[in-house]
Amino acid sequence: GVFDYVKDGRTVREYIALAFGTARDVVIYSPDEGITFPVKSSRKRFEEIVLPDQPAVPDAYAMLRGESPGESVQLPTQPLPAIRMLTEYLVGAEANKAVVVIERLDLLLPAGDKATFPESRLALLSLLHRIGTDQALDLKGNLLILMTPSLEEVHSDLRAASSGIRAIEVPLPDFDARLAYIEECIEKRDLTLEMRPAELAAQTAGLYRRHIE
């Protein structure tokens, strides 16, 4: 359910950013977007920790993010250097003040034979395993959240109990959750159904809110 809506039409990513955003800085990495920041002020604090001595350089995509082209540095986009930088951030940030979200773990470290992995993927697997077993980082209270649509699609080294990574399932919405979402959609969009909302909720068992929409 990591791609489903959670509350008020927000995705899981948006919900995490909102839930932690008032107390912690949230940084998100995805293979397609690289490192992004739901709140602009988080980027400045991030760069102060991981790039203290590097001058800002023009960023061709800065304006698309609502920033001035020269006010930020170019951050790495490839998985290994990007996640190394995010690890530095978790270590260097103030205790209980940082949250890093890594999306599509299934694409970064898919299930398979390690013998076929390129060196960069093996290094990334080792890095995430080390983060999960780092007691000092665990005690610091800064969070690393890894998101995947299916645990079975992730490499077994990260699913093992010895990895220190704890699995949290985002479940399918139950009847009450589906009914609440349907009624919310009807009210917000002024919809008319050909059946009672409870009937639609009953007939959509096994679907996520995005499917119901």
Side-chain angles (χ1 to χ4, degrees), residues 24 30 35 50-51 60 63 75 86 93 109 112 139 141 145 156 158 164 170 173 178 185-186 189 193-194 197 199 210:
R24 303 186 185 217
S30 63
I35 299 173
V50 300
L51 302 168
M63 293 190 69
L75 298 176
L86 293 171
L109 291 168
L139 290 172
I145 300 174
S156 58
L158 300 182
V170 182
R178 295 194 304 274
C185 288
I186 292 171
R189 307 181 191 191
L193 298 185
E194 296 181 357
E199 292 177 316
R210 192 179 288 274

Side-chain angles (χ1 to χ4, degrees), residues 36-58:
T36 57
F37 305 84
V39 179
K40 288 183 183 179
S41 58
S42 297
R43 175 164 188 151
K44 183 175 184 296
R45 288 187 286 270
F46 176 85
E47 291 181 354
E48 287 172 351
I49 292 169
V50 300
L51 302 168
D53 301 318
Q54 295 193 30
V57 296

